[in-house]
């Protein structure tokens, strides 16, 4: 209960001194918010008036509402079954009919499910805000989660895994998924988590283990005839092999994925596969085929902002690599019309820097690429920093500016050492965790 009062006070931006005034001593309220003392019902009523919430919200905090519980069950069922329009309708009814949920446990359960819903509709920032501002605050001691049903415990660790992944905390993401697996009773849910683990392991270079988990997911999807999930998993395995430079294997899995996607009219997956096939063509400098695949991807994609940006970035890169400057510049202008964030802006600056180089405008080339390097360095985006340093060291060496070339090469070497040590550490942690899980 003390957490609810503390959260209300902070949300309404009322100081502890202001809330205590005329009701209870500051020290007593402070001890209450720290969980040391309880407050009498009379004091709680006075606090509810000052906080402008119903008295029941601070008094009947352990009152279980059976009718409300049925709505929570429906909300969870709709999300799990991907009936997201139905889930949104149920959520809106709960928000309208229950502005205050007396039971703390039911309120936290609703917040967890609301966060789960936002993850499923890819509103990761909204999910992150609910998790950090409310769920984490109410569950200061993580052991409190075990007071909930097995389903809610499973969803909680799934959310932690997804949000860790979103924040690029891949080791923590992996650990939370393995905890989630202990609470899953449904085969499809288990396969979905195997798939998420495969993606997470792929991000930290644990490619063999990544394939292992992807194949575990694949076996379940095959057995359950989940064609869309099957197509996605074939595509993922293809990408893992692509990252491991096993291009023939990658292409084989992409083709399997594409065959299923075409058969069942899964256009979004087709768009993703054509994009991945374009990367292979680009790698082999087969630029005409790369562009053909990219424009096909553009044509059949669902036109979501994220997918469009990714495709356009790759189209611009292909035009730059094939020295078709005018078309690269046209596509660059088109991307700027999309909704771009700060990171996208600096990726576009890198592409513009390459265009300036092709136009022999060395001043703007250096300016844009070095500005971008500072941004990605500040944001610990080491993979991009590494690529920029490699380009700059080669560029300055070719320009006979050997001192500058040497400086960037040193940064590159330091990054390689850090990366290799980091990978070894991560691999050790993963292997230890895998042994524990087995």
């Amino acid at each position: 209960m003390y957490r609810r009062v503390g959260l209300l006070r902070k949300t309404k931006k009322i100081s502890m001194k202001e809330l205590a005034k005329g009701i209870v001593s500051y020290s007593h309220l402070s001890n209450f918010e720290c969980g040391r003392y309880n407050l009498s019902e009379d004091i709680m009523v006075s606090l509810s008036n000052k906080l402008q919430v119903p008295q029941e919200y601070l008094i009947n905090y352990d009152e279980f509402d059976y009718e409300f519980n049925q709505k929570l069950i429906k909300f969870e069922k709709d999300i799990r079954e991907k009936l997201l329009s139905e889930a949104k309708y149920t959520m809106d009814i709960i928000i309208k009919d229950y502005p205050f949920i007396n039971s703390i446990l039911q309120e936290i359960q609703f917040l967890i499910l609301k966060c789960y819903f936002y993850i499923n509709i890819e509103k990761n920032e909204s999910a992150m805000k609910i998790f950090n501002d409310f769920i984490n605050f109410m569950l200061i001691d993580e052991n409190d989660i075990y007071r909930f049903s097995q389903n809610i415990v499973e969803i909680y660790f799934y959310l932690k895994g997804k949000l860790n992944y979103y924040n690029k905390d891949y080791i923590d993401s992996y650990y939370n998924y393995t905890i989630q697996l202990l609470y899953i009773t449904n085969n499809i849910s288990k396969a979905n988590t195997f798939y998420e683990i495969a993606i997470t392991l792929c991000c930290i270079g644990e490619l063999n283990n990544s394939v292992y988990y992807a194949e575990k997911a694949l076996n379940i999807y095959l057995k359950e005839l989940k064609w869309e999930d099957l197509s996605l998993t074939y595509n993922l395995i293809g990408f893992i092999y692509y990252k491991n430079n096993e291009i023939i294997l990658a292409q084989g899995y992409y083709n399997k994925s594409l065959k299923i996607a075409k058969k069942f009219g899964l256009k979004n997956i087709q768009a993703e596969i054509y994009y991945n096939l374009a990367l292979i063509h680009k790698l082999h400098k087969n630029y005409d085929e790369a562009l053909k695949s990219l424009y096909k991807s553009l044509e059949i994609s669902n036109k979501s902002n994220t997918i469009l940006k990714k495709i356009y970035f790759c189209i611009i890169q292909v035009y730059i690599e094939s020295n078709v400057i005018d078309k690269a510049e046209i596509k660059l202008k088109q991307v700027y019309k999309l909704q771009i964030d700060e990171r996208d802006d600096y990726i576009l600056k890198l592409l513009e820097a390459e265009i300036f180089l092709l136009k022999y405008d060395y001043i703007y080339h250096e300016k844009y690429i070095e500005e971008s390097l500072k941004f990605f360095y500040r944001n610990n985006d080491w993979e991009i920093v590494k690529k920029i340093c490699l380009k700059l060291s080669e560029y300055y060496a070719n320009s006979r500016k050997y001192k500058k070339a040497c400086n960037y090469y040193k940064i590159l070497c330091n990054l390689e050492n850090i990366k290799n040590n980091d990978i070894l550490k991560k691999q050790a942690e993963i292997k230890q965790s895998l042994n524990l899980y087995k």
Side-chain angles (χ1 to χ4, degrees):
M1 189 58 227
Y2 66 88
R3 294 174 196 169
R4 175 176 275 178
V5 171
L7 186 60
L8 277 169
R9 185 177 59 73
K10 288 174 183 176
T11 303
K12 293 175 179 288
K13 297 180 180 177
I14 300 172
S15 70
M16 198 180 290
K17 188 176 180 180
E18 187 184 346
L19 182 60
K21 189 176 180 181
I23 299 174
V24 66
S25 71
Y26 174 83
S27 61
H28 207 69
L29 182 60
S30 176
N31 280 315
F32 168 73
E33 283 201 22
C34 291
R36 296 191 191 102
Y37 298 145
N38 288 326
L39 296 175
S40 70
E41 190 171 307
D42 288 346
I43 291 174
M44 296 300 276
V45 168
S46 298
L47 290 177
S48 70
N49 292 334
K50 207 163 196 178
L51 290 165
Q52 297 180 317
V53 296
Q55 295 175 8
E56 293 80 10
Y57 191 59
L58 297 190
I59 296 169
N60 299 334
Y61 56 86
D62 57 355
E63 181 184 79
F64 186 83
D65 186 326
Y66 288 94
E67 186 181 331
F68 178 69
N69 193 56
Q70 293 306 305
K71 288 182 168 60
L72 289 179
I73 290 168
K74 179 172 175 13
F75 189 30
E76 180 188 335
K77 184 172 178 288
D78 289 341
I79 300 169
R80 284 188 184 276
E81 294 178 1
K82 305 295 181 187
L83 302 171
L84 299 178
S85 297
E86 281 287 315
K88 172 73 166 55
Y89 179 72
T90 305
M91 183 178 76
D92 289 343
I93 286 176
I94 290 173
I95 291 168
K96 179 176 174 288
D97 293 349
Y98 296 86
F100 297 96
I101 302 163
N102 292 342
S103 164
I104 288 181
L105 290 180
Q106 286 184 311
E107 182 177 47
I108 295 170
Q109 186 175 341
F110 175 60
L111 289 169
I112 288 171
L113 291 174
K114 193 176 177 184
C115 191
Y116 186 38
F117 171 74
Y118 281 131
I119 285 287
N120 273 272
I121 61 170
E122 297 182 3
K123 286 193 172 182
N124 296 317
E125 289 292 341
S126 300
M128 185 77 70
K129 183 166 177 58
I130 293 169
F131 202 90
N132 291 339
D133 293 354
F134 299 99
I135 297 169
N136 271 349
F137 189 88
M138 296 301 287
L139 298 175
I140 294 170
D141 181 353
E142 192 171 76
N143 287 326
D144 286 345
I145 192 62
Y146 297 108
R147 298 174 66 186
F148 293 87
S149 69
Q150 184 171 332
N151 280 1
I152 294 299
V153 174
E154 180 221 321
I155 291 169
Y156 173 78
F157 284 107
Y158 169 77
L159 291 175
K160 288 195 77 174
K162 286 292 281 187
L163 295 173
N164 285 144
Y165 177 84
Y166 181 67
N167 284 331
K168 299 183 180 178
D169 299 327
Y170 300 124
I171 292 291
D172 286 343
S173 176
Y174 169 75
Y175 286 153
N176 282 301
Y177 283 139
T178 54
I179 294 171
Q180 183 209 354
L181 282 172
L182 302 174
Y183 294 92
I184 296 175
T185 55
N186 177 282
N187 262 347
I188 296 300
S189 295
K190 192 171 284 187
N192 293 343
T193 301
F194 287 147
Y195 180 88
E196 298 289 353
I197 289 174
I199 293 173
T200 304
L201 292 175
C202 181
C203 289
I204 56 174
E206 270 286 309
L207 300 180
N208 289 335
N209 281 322
S210 181
V211 170
Y212 167 76
Y213 276 101
E215 286 179 343
K216 281 171 77 74
L218 198 69
N219 289 335
I220 295 173
Y221 292 141
L222 270 168
K223 189 177 177 182
E224 302 286 341
L225 301 178
K226 289 285 184 180
W227 299 111
E228 183 173 350
D229 295 314
L230 200 60
S231 181
L232 282 168
T233 310
Y234 277 131
N235 185 48
L236 172 61
I237 296 172
F239 182 72
I240 297 166
Y241 281 125
Y242 169 79
K243 277 196 79 172
N244 207 33
N245 293 317
E246 296 178 73
I247 305 303
I248 294 171
L249 275 172
Q251 201 151 10
Y253 277 98
Y254 287 151
N255 288 335
K256 284 183 181 180
S257 179
L258 189 59
K259 187 177 178 182
I260 295 170
K262 281 182 173 178
K263 183 176 179 180
F264 292 95
L266 307 170
K267 290 197 172 181
N268 285 343
I269 300 176
Q270 288 180 57
E272 188 69 31
I273 300 161
Y274 281 121
Y275 173 84
N276 286 336
L277 287 168
L279 295 180
I280 291 177
H281 294 311
K282 181 172 167 287
L283 185 70
H284 292 144
K285 300 189 187 303
N286 191 349
Y287 298 124
D288 287 342
E289 287 300 315
L291 287 168
K292 194 185 293 182
S293 290
L294 286 166
Y295 279 110
K296 184 73 175 172
S297 178
L298 200 61
E299 179 191 332
I300 62 176
S301 69
N302 66 359
K303 309 299 180 191
S304 84
N305 202 56
T306 306
I307 294 170
L308 286 176
K309 284 188 295 187
K310 186 168 78 167
I311 298 168
Y312 274 120
F313 289 162
C314 196
I315 289 172
I316 295 164
Q317 285 172 339
V318 172
Y319 281 135
I320 289 169
E321 285 184 27
S322 55
N323 206 9
V324 185
I325 301 171
D326 55 340
K327 288 188 178 180
E329 288 179 318
I330 290 167
K331 290 298 168 193
L332 201 63
K333 286 175 184 174
Q334 289 175 354
V335 178
Y336 274 117
K337 291 177 183 176
L338 299 174
Q339 185 183 345
I340 60 171
D341 56 27
E342 192 178 14
R343 187 176 184 276
D344 296 329
D345 190 47
Y346 279 98
I347 288 173
L348 289 171
K349 275 197 168 184
L350 284 175
L351 294 171
E352 283 189 87
E354 294 303 308
I355 292 171
F356 284 127
L357 181 61
L358 292 175
K359 293 164 80 172
Y360 307 106
D361 190 337
Y362 302 117
I363 293 172
Y364 273 99
H365 170 72
E366 292 170 19
K367 180 177 182 289
Y368 275 38
I369 202 167
E370 287 177 356
E371 280 178 9
S372 301
L373 175 61
K374 286 175 187 174
F375 170 80
F376 291 113
Y377 198 94
R378 280 197 311 272
N379 288 276
N380 302 327
D381 208 328
W382 303 123
E383 282 302 310
I384 295 185
V385 169
K386 180 185 164 187
K387 288 174 184 175
I388 296 172
C389 285
L390 182 61
K391 281 190 175 182
L392 282 172
S393 59
E394 289 174 351
Y395 167 76
Y396 283 120
N398 291 334
S399 305
R400 298 187 179 183
K401 295 179 181 178
Y402 299 117
K403 189 174 179 180
K404 277 195 168 186
C406 189
N407 286 337
Y408 286 111
Y409 191 70
K410 280 179 183 175
I411 295 171
L412 189 60
C413 289
N414 288 334
L415 284 172
E416 276 298 305
N417 289 333
I418 291 167
K419 183 187 171 189
N420 289 336
N421 290 334
D422 196 32
I423 285 174
L424 287 171
K425 183 182 174 185
K426 284 175 178 176
Q427 285 175 335
E429 289 177 4
I430 289 290
K431 281 168 186 169
Q432 183 185 12
S433 179
L434 281 167
N435 289 334
L436 287 170
Y437 177 67
K438 285 174 185 174

